[in-house]
């Protein structure tokens, strides 16, 4: 009896239709791109956005003069590391020119990331440049999404066709007497408290180090310092080279964008080129006078141009990123191998240290003296360029720049 029951059960199961496998949840860029195909304003259903806010955003989108895509989402672990790259990822899926805006809610604090893409190459101004020149951008309220999104759309319109940037409405501006730390989210405030504690501890450690160092130096013979260091690096020249290379990279990416029937490899090249180009633009906009930032922008733009042109990616020369790429490998301190140009590689193999990129650094007990030192002697915690050797030690310089920008926001 039991055998006949099992036989009947197996026979019945054989005729049941196979259940479809459960599909994986699409990634956030895919979900947003799908929503944009029906409405260029995508709002995550978990967020309750007032209709007045959405109406303001839609009105700004209609009058922008360019296609505008806006996504409003809550902050998630995925966005913690990918928010800065989202405009590029979304543009790769939509493939149309226009402004791509991602607004992220974190507690009662809103942050906005945007990218302006033009199929025919860059005309007019760069979006980051317009934002850097906008004196009111830091005074806009961040406790609701519309003010920052609308301002970003206005900035993109200015960059696209040169129209005047309108003043920010009084209702979108913070009261002038309100402390600036109200703009920080709860998480940011906790992090700031931790950083303050670390700063106090670091200061006490510095004092102790100075005391020990001064005691150690007593009775030692002073070494004779050179009368005059070599001529400092021409910072202005590096800035001009970085700006020119950024434009060259933009043209290379635009040529790649124009191609039809792009392969998967070419799409990956475009995304990588945009990632490096965006980081270069960020450095030039946020730190236009800083030598390290200008040199970093030069390296990233040079790499973006090569990647967009289909050439193999080359690391910079560790000792001086202005030199030719690091096509040779040499042993450096603590048996670490670093890429170097042929000129610097020859110097190292002779048992000497290349002069390298030298930057101004404070010296002396009170820090009043300034001298030129190799950039790699600076604290790596203060600069992603120093920490990565401008990308010679690790190829994550674009991500470090993006994460630092997110921290500032």
């Amino acid at each position: 009896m039991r055998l006949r029951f099992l036989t009947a059960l197996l026979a019945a199961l054989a005729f049941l239709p196979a259940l479809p496998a459960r599909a994986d949840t699409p990634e956030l860029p895919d979900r947003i791109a799908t929503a944009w195909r029906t409405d260029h304003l995508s709002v995550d259903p978990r967020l309750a956005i007032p209709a007045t806010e959405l109406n303001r955003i839609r009105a700004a989108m209609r009058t922008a003069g360019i296609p505008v895509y806006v996504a409003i989402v809550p902050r998630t672990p995925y966005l913690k590391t990918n928010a800065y790259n989202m405009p590029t990822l979304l543009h790769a899926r939509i493939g149309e020119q226009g402004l791509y805006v991602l607004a992220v809610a974190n507690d009662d604090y809103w942050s906005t990331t945007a990218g302006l893409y033009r199929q025919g190459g860059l005309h007019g101004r760069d979006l980051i440049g317009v934002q850097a020149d906008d004196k009111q951008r830091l005074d806009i309220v961040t406790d609701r999404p519309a003010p920052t999104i609308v301002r970003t759309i206005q900035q993109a319109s200015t960059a696209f066709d040169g129209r005047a940037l309108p003043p920010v409405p009084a209702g979108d501006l913070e009261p002038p007497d309100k402390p600036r730390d109200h703009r920080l989210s709860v998480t940011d405030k906790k992090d700031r408290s931790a950083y303050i504690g670390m700063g106090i501890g670091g200061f006490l450690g510095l004092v102790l180090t100075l005391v020990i160092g001064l005691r150690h130096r007593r009775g030692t013979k002073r070494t004779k310092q050179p009368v005059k260091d070599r001529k400092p690096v021409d910072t202005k020249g590096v800035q001009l080279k970085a700006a020119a290379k950024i434009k060259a990279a933009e043209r290379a990416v635009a040529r790649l964008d124009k191609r039809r029937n792009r392969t998967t490899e070419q799409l990956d090249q475009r995304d990588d080129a945009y990632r490096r180009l965006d980081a270069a633009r960020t450095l030039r906009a946020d730190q236009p006078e800083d030598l390290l930032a200008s040199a970093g922008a030069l390296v990233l733009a040079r790499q973006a141009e090569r990647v967009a042109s289909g050439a193999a990616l080359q690391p910079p020369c560790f000792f001086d990123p202005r030199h030719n790429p690091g096509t040779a490998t040499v042993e450096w301190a603590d048996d670490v191998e670093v890429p170097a140009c042929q000129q610097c590689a020859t110097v190292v193999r002779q048992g000497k240290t290349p002069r390298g990129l030298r930057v101004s650094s404070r010296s002396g007990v009170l820090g009043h003296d300034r001298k030129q030192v190799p950039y790699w002697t600076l604290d790596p915690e203060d600069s992603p360029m120093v920490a990565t050797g401008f990308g010679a030690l690790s190829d994550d310089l674009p991500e470090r720049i993006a994460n630092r920008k997110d921290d500032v926001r």
Side-chain angles (χ1 to χ4, degrees):
M1 184 69 180
R2 181 177 299 176
L3 180 60
R4 282 184 292 179
F5 174 76
L6 291 175
T7 302
L9 179 61
L10 291 174
L13 291 174
F15 288 97
L16 287 176
L19 294 176
R22 184 176 180 181
D24 293 335
T25 302
E27 288 190 349
L28 180 60
D30 296 317
R31 297 200 301 271
I32 294 176
T34 300
W36 276 349
R37 290 187 174 92
T38 56
D39 188 347
H40 285 192
L41 175 57
S42 169
V43 181
D44 191 285
R46 290 170 290 181
L47 297 175
I49 309 297
T52 53
E53 293 281 292
L54 299 178
N55 291 338
R56 280 195 63 194
I57 296 171
R58 290 189 185 277
M61 294 169 64
R62 287 194 298 267
T63 59
I66 52 175
V68 178
Y69 300 84
V70 178
I72 304 177
V73 298
R75 189 169 183 84
T76 61
Y78 175 85
L79 288 174
K80 187 175 182 180
T81 56
N82 294 282
Y84 185 75
N85 297 321
M86 283 293 290
T88 301
L89 297 175
L90 292 167
H91 176 245
R93 285 159 172 79
I94 300 299
E96 300 292 339
Q97 71 169 351
L99 175 67
Y100 292 73
V101 182
L102 179 76
V104 181
N106 185 14
D107 300 327
D108 60 348
Y109 174 81
W110 288 86
S111 61
T112 302
T113 304
L116 179 59
Y117 303 96
R118 284 164 270 204
Q119 300 287 9
L122 180 62
H123 299 289
R125 297 184 60 190
D126 180 73
L127 175 59
I128 295 179
V130 175
Q131 291 174 330
D133 293 340
D134 185 0
K135 304 303 182 183
Q136 292 186 294
R137 73 186 189 282
L138 298 178
D139 297 322
I140 298 176
V141 296
T142 56
D143 56 356
R144 46 194 175 91
T148 53
I149 295 176
V150 170
R151 192 59 173 178
T152 301
I153 295 174
Q154 294 171 346
Q155 293 164 344
S157 298
T158 298
F160 188 77
D161 57 20
R163 72 179 66 179
L165 192 63
V168 177
D172 289 350
L173 293 175
E174 296 286 4
D177 57 344
K178 197 169 185 178
R180 297 184 69 87
D181 64 350
H182 75 284
R183 302 176 188 175
L184 302 176
S185 65
V186 174
T187 304
D188 293 335
K189 291 178 180 178
K190 291 180 179 179
D191 291 342
R192 189 185 64 171
S193 299
Y195 291 144
I196 292 174
M198 292 169 61
I200 295 174
F203 176 75
L204 295 176
L206 175 62
V207 173
L208 179 62
T209 302
L210 290 174
V211 172
I212 295 175
L214 291 174
R215 288 181 177 178
H216 177 72
R217 294 178 110 186
R218 286 179 182 174
T220 61
K221 185 178 180 180
R222 290 187 177 182
T223 59
K224 186 177 180 180
Q225 298 294 327
V227 177
K228 185 178 181 181
D229 198 359
R230 294 186 185 180
K231 185 178 179 180
V233 176
D234 181 12
T235 303
K236 186 64 176 179
V238 179
Q239 294 169 353
L240 293 175
K241 289 180 180 179
K245 188 55 67 175
I246 287 175
K247 291 185 179 297
E250 290 169 343
R251 290 192 293 268
V253 174
R255 288 193 297 269
L256 182 57
D257 269 334
K258 287 182 179 179
R259 293 185 182 180
R260 296 183 178 180
N261 301 322
R262 291 185 294 266
T263 65
T264 302
E265 181 180 3
Q266 289 173 331
L267 290 174
D268 291 340
Q269 291 172 351
R270 183 185 66 174
D271 290 348
D272 189 21
Y274 268 125
R275 182 170 62 93
R276 298 176 191 276
L277 179 57
D278 288 344
R281 291 167 172 169
T282 298
L283 286 174
R284 288 291 296 127
D286 292 351
Q287 305 175 63
E289 305 300 327
D290 184 73
L291 175 59
L292 290 177
S294 297
L298 174 61
V299 169
L300 291 167
R302 185 167 58 195
Q303 292 179 334
E305 182 186 21
R306 286 187 59 86
V307 170
S309 302
L313 180 68
Q314 292 180 322
C317 173
F318 167 77
F319 300 100
D320 195 330
R322 300 171 300 165
H323 289 177
N324 292 330
T327 55
T329 302
V330 295
E331 288 191 0
W332 187 233
D334 299 328
D335 297 327
V336 175
E337 291 187 342
V338 297
C341 67
Q342 294 298 331
Q343 176 184 354
C344 290
T346 300
V347 174
V348 173
R349 288 165 184 156
Q350 293 174 349
K352 303 177 182 178
T353 299
R355 175 176 169 79
L357 177 66
R358 303 179 80 83
V359 296
S360 179
S361 175
R362 295 184 182 275
S363 61
V365 176
L366 300 179
H368 291 316
D369 301 329
R370 300 188 72 87
K371 64 178 181 178
Q372 298 291 314
V373 299
Y375 83 88
W376 59 80
T377 62
L378 302 179
D379 188 350
E381 295 294 330
D382 293 338
S383 170
M385 274 68 72
V386 177
T388 65
F390 292 91
L393 302 178
S394 60
D395 189 31
D396 61 346
L397 181 56
E399 287 76 17
R400 288 175 182 252
I401 294 171
N403 291 338
R404 175 164 288 200
K405 185 174 182 180
D406 288 340
D407 291 341
V408 171
R409 289 177 176 171

